[in-house]
Amino acid sequence: MRGVVSCFSAWLAAGVLLAGVSASRQPPNVVIMLMDDMGWGDLGCNGEPNRETPNLDQMAREGLIVSSMYTAAPLCSPSRASLLTGRLPIRNGFYSNNTAGRNAYTPQNIVGGISDDEVLLPELLKERGYTSGLVGKWHLGHQPQYLPRKHGFDFWFGSPNCHFGPYMDLVTPNIPVFLNDHMLGRYYKDFPINRNQGISNMTQLYIDAAVGFINKEASKGPFFLLWAPDATHAPTYASEKYYRTSRRGRYGNAVRELDAGVGTILDALRKQGVDNNTLVVFTSDNGAALVSKQDGGSNGPFLCGKQTTFEGGMRAPGIFWWPGVISAGTTSHQVWTQMDLFSTAAQLAGVSPPQDRIYDGLPLANSFTYPQLEVPRPVFLYRGDRLMAVRRGASKIHLWTFSTPPAELQKGINYCPGAEVPNVTTPTPTDHSGRPILFNVEVDPGERYPISPSSSTYRNIVPMLLNVIREHNEKLVPGEPQLNWCDRAVMHWAPPGCETLNECLPVPESHPTLCVWPH
Amino acid sequence: MRGVVSCFSAWLAAGVLLAGVSASRQPPNVVIMLMDDMGWGDLGCNGEPNRETPNLDQMAREGLIVSSMYTAAPLCSPSRASLLTGRLPIRNGFYSNNTAGRNAYTPQNIVGGISDDEVLLPELLKERGYTSGLVGKWHLGHQPQYLPRKHGFDFWFGSPNCHFGPYMDLVTPNIPVFLNDHMLGRYYKDFPINRNQGISNMTQLYIDAAVGFINKEASKGPFFLLWAPDATHAPTYASEKYYRTSRRGRYGNAVRELDAGVGTILDALRKQGVDNNTLVVFTSDNGAALVSKQDGGSNGPFLCGKQTTFEGGMRAPGIFWWPGVISAGTTSHQVWTQMDLFSTAAQLAGVSPPQDRIYDGLPLANSFTYPQLEVPRPVFLYRGDRLMAVRRGASKIHLWTFSTPPAELQKGINYCPGAEVPNVTTPTPTDHSGRPILFNVEVDPGERYPISPSSSTYRNIVPMLLNVIREHNEKLVPGEPQLNWCDRAVMHWAPPGCETLNECLPVPESHPTLCVWPH
């Protein structure tokens, strides 16, 4: 406990310093680079053995590495909704209660999407005059009322859903690609992805759009850019220039191109002279999708992957870059969740989120100038509507465990390939709340060695964490679940703009059904 | 295959360049830092999440990272014997054939040790006037004829065997600590290690001895230093200064102290003005001992640990540092084995190993100036006397697999905790030579996804590798096994120097028995 007093003084000083920064002239620009299914272990600076990410490694050398950056959910849509709302999926409605403890997202037959009651980061930043752009995947609902420009973004180039299917299957519409409010065309048909070879120029388009947005906005006023390319989501792709350039295969080609994109975007900030006034964050929406095997990424030393609440499912890369504010080559042991990006961006902009709701994010801008600070705080790890685990400090407690259901395993789906920790990687949802499983994930990041319930460590920590959980549960008011209903009628038969392109398809009759969420 | 011609030109150029370097004035000093059971994933620069190795990370930034550095065996004695002889254990005799395919080493009741027929690196370097020092663990046999000063080392401070037991048990002598030819005292009795807390100042002594050796030799002529501290071998320890300084527990304390030692030694080279004429290599004798659980290290993304021929057992950290010759921040994809350190040191010194025997090491000094070069070569991975696997290029083929025998598992011994790859992490030795298991360990470093035998990749690569193996086997002349016989009479009852210290114990009658090697 030594150093608490001096830490507190530093904390106060940091607050004063940052208050000074944000009160002076223009608040900083914010760029969030949000990868799709890229794993913690895919970065050279995080130990990927082939070391194919020179730009990210350089970004890390010039910036701050956060090893404990948690996503708010172990898969795409709820993770992204939480980053943009600063609130857990259970609060912002990005979950389903069709089946307890199952992951849900927004396929193209989803009826729901982001609620108008939620205040998204671009909406909040607009109060301070920010212009906001989204380049890449949205995934917060695709019916017109859910699209990015209805929720604060001024610019959007990208797709409302993921590019994994349908693949010109003639009975289901391909996913459209939008420019602002209108579709420009569709994946596979108009924006080709060669799935056999893993070739597409989409990432180049997304890099160009990000640079274009920066070049346009840099001189005008503060901007927020969410760069969300999807090339590392299976089926992975890269442009011809990157074809067969990686030792890691086509997944690695995609990483190399994205890494180059990171370099290009940082260069654009430098060229515009705004690098000293721009916070850039690099992260990913969830852990690597180990189910994709060789076409998926790496979670380094962590257990399992996407879809699970083990470290491999929810610990994402975390690099912060802000020349002049963040010292080069720093590391922080602060436990972050991506919902902190919402609160921290608001803090930097000097705007306050609404006071009528609970936020899960913390304003952590002090970490940039005082990386040795560690604000103690819990991070709640949900699978669907079920609180599975909590990380606080070095400790992680599992109330429930669940890897891959047997029926899925039989189909070749496996979220924990090669891993088997007895009583931990359980193939069915297993309730440990009577005697939670405790790990020290600083000592044991692979969650292999549960701490004995008879140890003094366990007896000290578990009751404290159970209190934290009780408090969380008592205050919890679940949001209206948005991901319960599916309907073929809401698919992309006739997105806005289809008339001009002559790509409107007849809309079938509506037959809403409860979505099935097996995982 | 593009670039072969230009690569070849570069290779020639590199040869000329290096010939020029070594023909000029004094050949370079060589420092090999050989850790004990430290894992690939224990270094911040290899992705250890707590990032507690600032000196190693800096050494990597200033030098060359080799991701594929293989030990010659998955455990201590044979690995070390091979590094110093440039030859596989099956050739230099550091194996047992009591039971096929079991790991053997040199406990204090071992009768054998390094054969006089083997030419050790310090013996070879002596031809060019090198003075050689060993600081730390020897482990190549402890009877008088096997000790370091009988095999080329001019200076030795350290122990002949590992410090794990006996612990003042009154019926077995404690392991002695030597200075040159005489014991200075014994572990636990005279050189204390507090096993409850993991405290000992041995690493400080080993750092001081290394610096002392450098300071003494730097101005005299070329030197070779093998720095082989043992603090990361269970029971791990660190000095009081490092007690509770790591987030990783006592294992991490040991790593932090060793990391500081690396910084101190590099500084000593700088202070002596020999940093531009010294090759420094940082590596470890085998993968992290996962059997030690929280008191062991991390193998990052690799499968299993010490005692196995999976990547986690035999892939070690690899950092090369040589200011002025090795460019800062380079990486190489060359597949190395530690036996190459023998051949490369000889190459740099301009001495030739005897022509009457097969060497497994290659002279790879060209890698330092041309890190993009990749000399194609197989690395043979043995467990005891059995060829288990071969790595060549990106491919790794398993002829046999073996993790932990069931009888050991029941005792809590597990070399693959948390890992289970069907048909790969087999609990009994399993013969796959009829249909070898093939992995691409650049795409799949965790050895999780065997390449299908029906694939064209498999059909192209496996026959080629089987040819390589056939050639290897045809030329193989196994050395006389040194690790078959055990005898309580050879224990450290009365090491040289015990008389002065009054620490001689009565030597029991000799009853040689075949050693039992269960793993």
Side-chain angles (χ1 to χ4, degrees), chain B residues 42-57:
Chain B
D42 282 325
L43 283 62
C45 59
N46 282 347
E48 197 289 308
N50 300 286
R51 294 178 191 272
E52 296 188 329
T53 58
N55 292 284
L56 285 162
D57 300 350

Side-chain angles (χ1 to χ4, degrees), chain A residues 231-512:
Chain A
T232 42
H233 191 299
T236 61
Y237 62 77
S239 60
E240 298 229 19
K241 186 180 165 192
Y242 290 89
Y243 182 59
R244 289 194 171 163
T245 58
S246 169
R247 291 171 180 268
R248 305 179 67 198
R250 51 185 283 178
Y251 180 86
N253 297 339
V255 173
R256 284 181 69 104
E257 186 166 24
L258 291 166
D259 175 72
V262 168
T264 303
I265 291 170
L266 297 185
D267 273 348
L269 295 170
R270 289 191 196 95
K271 281 179 196 155
Q272 291 293 331
V274 294
D275 47 323
N276 284 298
N277 197 38
T278 304
L279 169 67
V280 184
V281 187
F282 181 90
T283 189
S284 181
D285 64 345
N286 43 248
L290 302 188
V291 66
S292 302
K293 299 179 182 164
Q294 297 94 323
D295 200 25
S298 163
N299 294 315
F302 302 123
L303 185 64
C304 299
K306 179 180 175 180
Q307 304 283 359
T308 77
T309 47
F310 301 114
E311 293 297 281
M314 299 189 68
R315 215 194 283 205
I319 306 176
F320 290 81
W321 184 91
W322 187 355
V325 173
I326 292 174
S327 299
T330 46
T331 59
S332 165
H333 295 98
Q334 173 68 47
V335 176
W336 280 73
T337 144
Q338 289 176 347
M339 295 175 286
D340 301 332
L341 301 179
F342 175 97
S343 306
T344 302
Q347 177 190 22
L348 292 169
V351 287
S352 299
Q355 302 293 306
D356 62 348
R357 62 197 73 193
I358 290 177
Y359 278 91
D360 297 283
L362 292 178
L364 291 174
N366 295 300
S367 275
F368 304 147
T369 35
Y370 292 84
Q372 72 276 24
L373 285 180
E374 283 182 64
V375 181
R377 59 85 64 87
V379 171
F380 299 96
L381 310 182
Y382 278 78
R383 183 156 167 163
D385 59 348
R386 176 174 283 157
L387 178 61
M388 305 283 290
V390 179
R391 163 90 192 258
R392 189 180 186 284
S395 301
K396 182 174 176 183
I397 190 177
H398 288 277
L399 302 174
W400 285 80
T401 55
F402 183 21
S403 58
T404 318
E408 302 290 298
L409 274 176
Q410 282 171 8
K411 294 185 214 163
I413 292 171
N414 190 347
Y415 305 135
C416 300
E420 175 133 11
V421 182
N423 203 33
V424 174
T425 51
T426 56
T428 49
T430 303
D431 185 357
H432 304 278
S433 51
R435 184 187 267 197
I437 296 174
L438 176 68
F439 291 104
N440 179 320
V441 290
E442 289 184 343
V443 174
D444 174 25
E447 292 167 287
R448 277 191 282 234
Y449 312 117
I451 293 170
S452 166
S454 63
S455 66
S456 62
T457 305
Y458 189 98
R459 292 200 307 270
N460 287 334
I461 290 178
V462 169
M464 182 271 285
L465 289 177
L466 290 176
N467 264 336
V468 168
I469 291 166
R470 191 173 309 117
E471 198 176 320
H472 171 78
N473 288 338
E474 281 170 7
K475 290 186 185 164
L476 182 67
V477 182
E480 185 67 25
Q482 298 293 324
L483 308 180
N484 278 352
W485 291 96
C486 288
D487 187 349
R488 276 182 65 80
V490 305
M491 287 185 172
H492 295 290
W493 307 102
C498 67
E499 309 83 357
T500 322
L501 299 163
N502 201 21
E503 288 201 19
C504 303
L505 299 168
V507 181
E509 208 175 326
S510 172
H511 288 293

Side-chain angles (χ1 to χ4, degrees), chain A residues 40 45-47 49-51 65 67 247-248 290 293-294 300-301 331 333 374 417-421 442-443 448-449, chain B residues 40 45-47 49-51 65 67 247-248 290 293-294 300-301 331 333 374 417-420 442-443 448-449:
Chain A
W40 191 94
C45 59
N46 283 347
N50 300 285
R51 294 179 191 271
I65 290 185
S67 277
R247 291 171 180 268
R248 305 179 67 198
L290 302 188
K293 299 179 182 164
Q294 297 94 323
T331 59
H333 295 98
E374 283 182 64
E420 175 133 11
V421 182
E442 289 184 343
V443 174
R448 277 191 282 234
Y449 312 117
Chain B
W40 190 94
C45 59
N46 282 347
N50 300 286
R51 294 178 191 272
I65 290 185
S67 278
R247 291 171 179 268
R248 304 179 67 199
L290 301 188
K293 299 179 182 163
Q294 298 95 323
T331 59
H333 295 97
E374 282 181 65
E420 175 133 10
E442 288 184 342
V443 174
R448 277 192 282 235
Y449 312 116

